[in-house]
Amino acid sequence: MTDSQTSTSSSYDFSGSLAPPPPNGVQSRSIDSNHSISPEISRHWRDLFWLVIFVSHLILVGFVLGVLGLNRFQKKDRLNIDKYTMGFLENQPGLTEDYWPLYALAAGIGTVLGWIWLLLLGSQANGMMKVSVHILTTYLAVISVLCFWCKQLFWGVAFAIGAALQFLYVISVIDRLPFTMLVLQSSVKLVRNLPEVMGVSCVFMLVMLLWLALWSFGIAGVVALSIGDTGRWWLLVVLSVSLFWTGAVLCNIVHVVVSGMVFLVLIHGGRDSESMPPKPLMNSIRYAVTKSFGSICYGSLFTAAIRTLRWKIRGIRSKIGNNECLLCCVDFLFHLVETLVRFFNKYAYVQIAVYGKNFNHSARDAWELFQSTGVEALVAYDCSGAVLLMGTILGGLVVGTCAGVWARIKFPSRMIMVGSTAMLMGMILVGLAMVIVESAVTSIYICYAEDPLLIHRWNAEFFNQMSEKLHQRLQHRSSRVREVLHRFDGQTTEMVSA
C-alpha cells in the first residue's frame, strides 16, 4: 500500500466529531475516500497468464464434456469412439440420459438451498450457521454408517474420519465460537442492507447452472461409458477438479464485487452518501470480470485448499499438549502453511477490488497490514470462514445424499459415483450464496486494520467488542512470548552451569 493511499490518522472521524482512540496494539490509519472503486483509478490488466490458462481450460473441458455426453446421448457410441477404446475400456450399454436427470435433481436442490440461504439471510442466518456447526458431525457420521451398510468400505471409513476430524475441530475452537458468531451477525447485518449484492449472487448462481448443465451432461456420459473403475474415477477426478476451479472463480468474482461494495459503504459512511462514486456496483463487476479476472483465476487455484489446511493444523496444534516431538512436526507444517497464507489469502480479494493490484501483491499487502497493526491476532482467532465452510459442506452433503439415494434405487452400482459428484455441485451452488457473508467479514477486517474508526462510525458497539477481544489476544500472545523467553533463559542458565 502506497503512502498516497494510507496515512497516519488522528482520533478524528470522518463526520468531524471526536472518536475514541484506537485500541492498544492497533495503529490507526485513515483512508482517502478518493482511493476507492471509481473510474478515476488507473487500472491495468493483472495476471493475464492465468486468465488465458483458465479460459483455455474452459474451452478444452467444455469440448471434452460435449463429446463425452453426446457419444452416449440417445444412442450408444454415437460418435464411434468405442473402436478406439476397445481393450482398455469396458464398453457396456448405458446412455447419457439415464444419469443426466440425477444431476438435474442435484442442481435443483443445490439452487433451492442457496436461494433459501439468501432469503433467510436477514432473519435466520445466525441460526442456520449454528445448525451447520453442530449438525455437520452427525450428518457425516450417519452417511458413514449408510456407506458401511451399502458395503462401501472405503467411503464409510472416509466419512467416519471426516466426522472425527470435524468433531475434534469444533471441540478445539469451541471457545472461539461466541466471537465468531458476533462477527458473522455483524456481517449479515451489513450485507442485509445491500440487497443488490444478493442479486449479484443470484446472477452468478444462474451462470453456474448454465455451466453445470454442460458439465453434468458430460459427467453423465462418463458414467454411462462404464469405464473400468480406475479409468472412470480418474476421468471424474479430473473433471471435478475443473469444476472446483470454475466454481471457485465464480465465487471469488462475487467475493471481489461484494468486498468492493462493502468497503465503499464503510469508507463513505453509507450507500446513500454523497461521496460515493457513481455506479459502484457496475464498476466493481466490470473490473472483476475484465482487468482483475486473471488475479481471481490465479488465487482461486490455491486459497481454498491452503485456508482449509491452515484451520485443521491450528485445531490439531491446540490439542497436542506437551508432546514435544509431535509438536515440533506440527509446528513445522504450521509455519510452512503460514508462509503460504502470506501469498494466498482471501483478504487479497478486497485489495484487488479496491486498488486493482495483482493477486500476490494484494495478498502480501493484506497480510503485512494485519501483522503491522496487530489485527492478525484477531483474524487468527476468528473462525467465521470455517463456520461458513461447514454450512457449504452440509449443503453439498444434502444434495449428494438426495442424488445418491435416487441412484441407489435406479443404478445401485453408480450410487457413490453420482453422489460424490452431485455433492460437489451442491457445495458450489450453496457456496455462491454464502460467499457474500464471507466477503463482508474480510472487508470488515481490512477496514479495521486500515482505520478502526471506520468500524466505530458504522457500529460503535461492535467496534468496542472487537477492540476488547483484540486487546485480550495481544495480551495472550505477549504472555506466551514471555513464557517462552523465560523457559529459554532457564535452559541457557542450566547449560552454562553444567
Side-chain angles (χ1 to χ4, degrees):
M1 194 150 314
T2 62
D3 293 337
S4 63
Q5 290 169 335
T6 58
S7 59
T8 305
S9 171
S10 62
S11 299
Y12 199 78
D13 67 7
F14 287 89
S15 62
S17 60
L18 287 174
N24 294 335
V26 179
Q27 299 175 9
S28 178
R29 298 165 177 253
S30 65
I31 304 175
D32 183 354
S33 61
N34 292 326
H35 295 282
S36 56
I37 303 174
S38 64
E40 288 76 17
I41 286 186
S42 176
R43 290 178 180 256
H44 305 282
W45 289 85
R46 303 293 187 182
D47 295 310
L48 272 174
F49 172 78
W50 291 100
L51 186 154
V52 173
I53 292 294
F54 178 75
V55 173
S56 302
H57 137 268
L58 279 186
I59 295 171
L60 176 62
V61 171
F63 175 76
V64 171
L65 289 170
V67 169
L68 290 173
L70 191 60
N71 185 56
R72 293 273 173 158
F73 185 66
Q74 295 183 342
K75 179 183 177 182
K76 179 185 174 183
D77 198 24
R78 175 185 291 274
L79 302 180
N80 201 25
I81 293 177
D82 287 0
K83 67 179 181 181
Y84 301 107
T85 61
M86 295 297 293
F88 66 93
L89 299 183
E90 302 171 11
N91 295 295
Q92 299 175 359
L95 298 174
T96 299
E97 58 265 32
D98 293 340
Y99 303 97
W100 205 15
L102 301 177
Y103 291 106
L105 172 70
I109 295 175
T111 304
V112 169
L113 290 176
W115 283 345
I116 288 175
W117 165 261
L118 289 175
L119 289 173
L120 296 180
L121 187 61
S123 57
Q124 302 296 328
N126 192 50
M128 292 169 65
M129 288 181 286
K130 289 181 179 179
V131 167
S132 300
V133 172
H134 298 293
I135 294 297
L136 181 57
T137 304
T138 304
Y139 204 100
L140 285 168
V142 170
I143 294 179
S144 174
V145 172
L146 291 176
C147 288
F148 282 123
W149 180 63
C150 295
K151 298 181 180 180
Q152 298 288 340
L153 299 182
F154 172 80
W155 291 101
V157 172
F159 280 113
I161 293 174
L165 291 176
Q166 168 66 13
F167 177 75
L168 291 174
Y169 177 76
V170 172
I171 293 299
S172 68
V173 300
I174 195 73
D175 58 320
R176 305 183 187 183
L177 291 181
F179 176 73
T180 297
M181 289 303 172
L182 170 67
V183 173
L184 289 172
Q185 283 176 345
S186 301
S187 302
V188 167
K189 177 182 176 181
L190 186 55
V191 297
R192 188 174 57 195
N193 296 323
L194 297 171
E196 59 267 36
V197 302
M198 298 185 194
V200 170
S201 181
C202 288
V203 168
F204 279 91
M205 202 179 293
L206 293 174
V207 172
M208 189 70 241
L209 281 173
L210 292 176
W211 179 253
L212 284 176
L214 174 60
W215 187 85
S216 59
F217 180 70
I219 287 293
V222 172
V223 176
L225 274 174
S226 295
I227 306 174
D229 284 345
T230 302
R232 183 169 60 234
W233 278 109
W234 270 113
L235 260 178
L236 289 177
V237 166
V238 170
L239 294 174
S240 296
V241 170
S242 168
L243 179 64
F244 178 83
W245 190 17
T246 305
V249 167
L250 290 182
C251 284
N252 288 325
I253 290 174
V254 177
H255 193 355
V256 168
V257 172
V258 177
S259 297
M261 280 296 298
V262 171
F263 194 87
L264 284 179
V265 167
L266 291 175
I267 288 177
H268 295 279
R271 56 182 295 186
D272 299 323
S273 172
E274 294 182 358
S275 61
M276 281 283 284
K279 299 180 180 179
L281 182 65
M282 293 307 300
N283 284 329
S284 185
I285 294 174
R286 178 161 59 90
Y287 292 133
V289 299
T290 55
K291 295 183 178 180
S292 295
F293 189 59
S295 298
I296 294 172
C297 296
Y298 174 46
S300 300
L301 265 177
F302 306 103
T303 49
I306 292 174
R307 182 177 49 176
T308 304
L309 183 61
R310 182 173 184 247
W311 291 331
K312 295 303 181 184
I313 291 179
R314 278 188 179 275
I316 295 172
R317 189 169 180 256
S318 64
K319 290 297 178 182
I320 288 178
N322 295 323
N323 189 324
E324 295 292 340
C325 181
L326 187 57
L327 184 62
C328 181
C329 295
V330 173
D331 273 342
F332 171 76
L333 291 175
F334 177 77
H335 291 302
L336 177 62
V337 172
E338 288 293 301
T339 301
L340 292 174
V341 167
R342 181 182 179 86
F343 296 98
F344 300 99
N345 61 73
K346 61 182 179 179
Y347 302 96
Y349 296 111
V350 184
Q351 300 272 347
I352 290 172
V354 178
Y355 303 117
K357 304 173 184 177
N358 64 29
F359 184 85
N360 281 143
H361 191 185
S362 299
R364 187 169 59 251
D365 283 356
W367 208 246
E368 287 177 356
L369 174 65
F370 286 149
Q371 291 186 321
S372 65
T373 57
V375 176
E376 191 272 334
L378 203 59
V379 171
Y381 185 76
D382 179 29
C383 302
S384 56
V387 170
L388 292 172
L389 179 62
M390 291 176 199
T392 301
I393 293 175
L394 182 60
L397 287 173
V398 171
V399 172
T401 302
C402 294
V405 168
W406 191 7
R408 169 74 178 174
I409 296 172
K410 296 186 65 176
F411 312 103
S413 63
R414 298 291 182 265
M415 178 188 68
I416 295 296
M417 189 180 304
V418 172
S420 58
T421 48
M423 185 183 96
L424 178 60
M425 293 172 61
M427 287 178 59
I428 290 173
L429 290 168
V430 175
L432 278 167
M434 289 198 169
V435 72
I436 63 175
V437 178
E438 186 171 20
S439 302
V441 172
T442 56
S443 297
I444 286 173
Y445 278 121
I446 289 288
C447 285
Y448 187 73
E450 291 273 13
D451 189 347
L453 301 181
L454 293 175
I455 305 301
H456 180 270
R457 181 180 59 177
W458 168 62
N459 189 330
E461 182 181 358
F462 178 57
F463 166 82
N464 292 332
Q465 290 170 318
M466 284 189 72
S467 300
E468 181 181 357
K469 180 58 67 176
L470 177 57
H471 185 62
Q472 292 175 2
R473 298 311 303 168
L474 292 175
Q475 283 186 325
H476 174 72
R477 286 196 171 186
S478 297
S479 64
R480 289 286 299 272
V481 170
R482 287 194 297 269
E483 179 183 343
V484 171
L485 289 175
H486 179 72
R487 185 185 306 173
F488 177 76
D489 289 341
Q491 292 175 347
T492 304
T493 302
E494 291 178 1
M495 291 176 62
V496 172
S497 301

